[in-house]
Amino acid sequence: MTGYRALFVLTSVGEMPGLGRPTGWYADEFATPFFALRDAGLSIDVASIKGGAAPVDPKSLGSDDDRKPNVARMLADDVAAELRATTPIAEVDGAGYDIVFLPGGHGVMWDFAQSEALAGVVSAAFQRGAVVGAVCHGPAGLLGAVDAKGASILKGRSVNGFTDAEERAVELDDAMPYLLETRMRAAGGVFENAGLFEAHAVRDGTLVTGQNPASVGRVADLLLEALAERAKAAA
């Protein structure tokens, strides 16, 4: 996969409005797909909605005793410097990437769907046949994206994300500006999911979505699968 490029986009929201509760992007939702793609030979750029240091949800880092392997690798790797100096999404050309990926974390609920710049980047990437992926709350960044006909990229496609039932289970449904599953269904997405907090990911052509943090390994596999098929078709 050498020569291919990926863009990861992170939230810039580090505190839940009105609650004062720390949030941000979810560490393993970034780390596992990041290293899967980089180890496969892709070069990766990291952007965020506002640029600069992108806040990670501190709870997602885990402790020294229970930290997930890819999160530990992220903290020790030179990618940590990139996370302190991300590119503002308004300065990114979505047409220049083979994969655009959106990790979740509750922070995205306040700035992904609200960002016209992010919608433009995702739309441009999708329309030129790039692989577009998101996991957990990350599909919030797909809500404003459109295909070449101006329809939502979710319309009529199999998708998933953090479910309304999962949001209620973590007792944050009333704190969210909207419920993600509800919005994805309203956009025409054919929403499918497993049970509460069970791993589930789905690929519909070049669109890859995963339900929750447990789904990141499968999401990473599907991103690479979709890119390999795209590369084979172009050969």
Side-chain angles (χ1 to χ4, degrees):
M1 292 296 177
T2 302
Y4 290 95
R5 300 177 65 207
L7 173 73
F8 279 52
V9 186
L10 302 172
T11 182
S12 293
V13 175
E15 183 177 285
M16 295 185 189
L19 294 182
R21 174 173 171 172
T23 186
W25 50 273
Y26 202 85
D28 199 38
E29 293 175 20
F30 170 88
T32 289
F34 180 91
F35 288 116
L37 268 57
R38 198 175 76 170
D39 291 349
L42 280 80
S43 61
I44 303 175
D45 294 331
V46 183
S48 65
I49 300 301
K50 293 183 178 180
V56 61
D57 186 325
K59 287 187 177 180
S60 72
L61 294 173
S63 67
D64 292 340
D65 295 328
D66 66 1
R67 188 163 290 144
K68 293 182 180 299
N70 283 316
V71 174
R73 183 179 174 187
M74 176 190 74
L75 294 173
D77 192 272
D78 57 5
V79 68
E82 296 180 51
L83 296 170
R84 293 191 294 269
T86 63
T87 303
I89 193 63
E91 298 179 8
V92 173
D93 179 4
Y97 294 95
D98 302 288
I99 293 178
V100 173
F101 183 68
L102 311 177
H106 276 97
V108 307
M109 296 293 284
W110 284 275
D111 64 355
F112 267 21
Q114 298 86 340
S115 172
E116 292 183 6
L118 178 58
V121 166
V122 175
S123 298
F126 187 83
Q127 290 174 25
R128 66 181 290 272
V131 179
V132 171
V135 67
C136 200
H137 290 88
L142 308 178
L143 293 172
V146 297
D147 62 20
K149 296 181 179 179
S152 169
I153 67 171
L154 303 179
K155 186 176 182 180
R157 294 185 173 90
S158 296
V159 294
N160 69 358
F162 202 66
T163 67
D164 292 357
E166 287 171 325
E167 203 72 82
R168 287 190 287 270
V170 297
E171 299 181 345
L172 285 172
D173 50 312
D174 289 337
M176 294 298 104
Y178 56 89
L179 292 177
L180 182 58
E181 176 186 343
T182 296
R183 286 284 299 273
M184 294 178 77
R185 289 182 182 277
V190 182
F191 196 93
E192 59 176 63
N193 58 277
L196 284 175
F197 310 114
E198 294 179 3
H200 188 70
V202 60
R203 176 185 161 211
D204 192 323
T206 58
L207 184 63
V208 175
T209 47
Q211 182 174 328
N212 48 38
S215 311
V216 291
R218 181 58 178 156
V219 167
D221 290 343
L222 291 176
L223 292 172
L224 288 169
E225 177 185 279
L227 182 60
E229 288 188 13
R230 178 175 176 265
K232 183 178 180 180

